[in-house]
Amino acid sequence: MAPGPFVVAAYAGSMTSSAPFVVRPAGTADVRRIHELLEPFVQKRILLGKDLVVLYGSVQQFVVAEADGVVIGCGALHVMWEDLGEVRTLIVHDEWLHHGVGRAIVEMLEERARELGVSRLFCLTFEVDFFTRRGFAEIGEQVVDPDVYSQLVRSPDEGVAEFLDLAHVKPNTLGNTRMLKQL
């Protein structure tokens, strides 16, 4: 059973008013707002762009943080292998940074991962300190056994290629840190 929404404490700020935020599974009505949150990071070359059709096709992987009916953050859990998942597209609106939104999103993604049987979470990030505080650690090149590697390398998914640190994705990942957490 998918986790339901949960309310997190209220915060002050221009966009936040006095309302708490809720983290919940995303629905198709959230996809355009997720795309809007993503675009500035794509323009800055921090995150890879995703077409709307890709976001709609993966909406079940996303959770969103919402305050006063407005999506203020998002994140996705992509399962890569029987015990391995990836935290993807973690975004928090600038006015909600440092208010626990990112932490709450990651916690819900971790809960979903555990429910699916995933015991390790990968991320590729510039936000090393944030993920270190969440229990992630930097990883080297080979973190799966050769049999699993031989299966993963067949995946057309760019995130899997990033996890494997394949040469063809290196221009897109320069400066990012590969991190892993045991759940």
Side-chain angles (χ1 to χ4, degrees), residues 5-105:
F6 59 94
V7 177
V8 184
Y11 297 97
S14 61
M15 189 175 180
T16 63
S17 72
S18 61
F21 64 86
V22 174
V23 179
R24 61 171 174 75
T28 56
D30 300 312
V31 168
R32 290 192 185 274
R33 179 63 178 146
I34 291 168
H35 191 259
E36 290 171 10
L37 287 170
L38 178 61
E39 272 309 298
F41 294 94
V42 172
Q43 298 305 317
K44 295 176 193 170
R45 302 180 64 93
I46 294 171
L47 293 173
L48 293 176
K50 290 182 173 56
D51 292 325
L52 281 171
V53 68
V54 172
L55 291 173
Y56 279 112
S58 61
V59 70
Q60 70 280 359
Q61 297 178 5
F62 278 86
V63 299
V64 293
E66 178 181 65
D68 292 327
V70 176
V71 173
I72 59 168
C74 65
L77 171 66
H78 179 77
V79 175
M80 299 166 72
W81 197 250
E82 66 185 330
D83 66 336
L84 181 63
E86 179 183 7
V87 173
R88 291 184 173 180
T89 320
L90 180 62
I91 306 167
V92 175
H93 188 281
D94 286 347
E95 292 183 26
W96 281 87
L97 291 173
H98 310 294
H99 292 294
V101 176
R103 181 192 75 239
I105 291 170

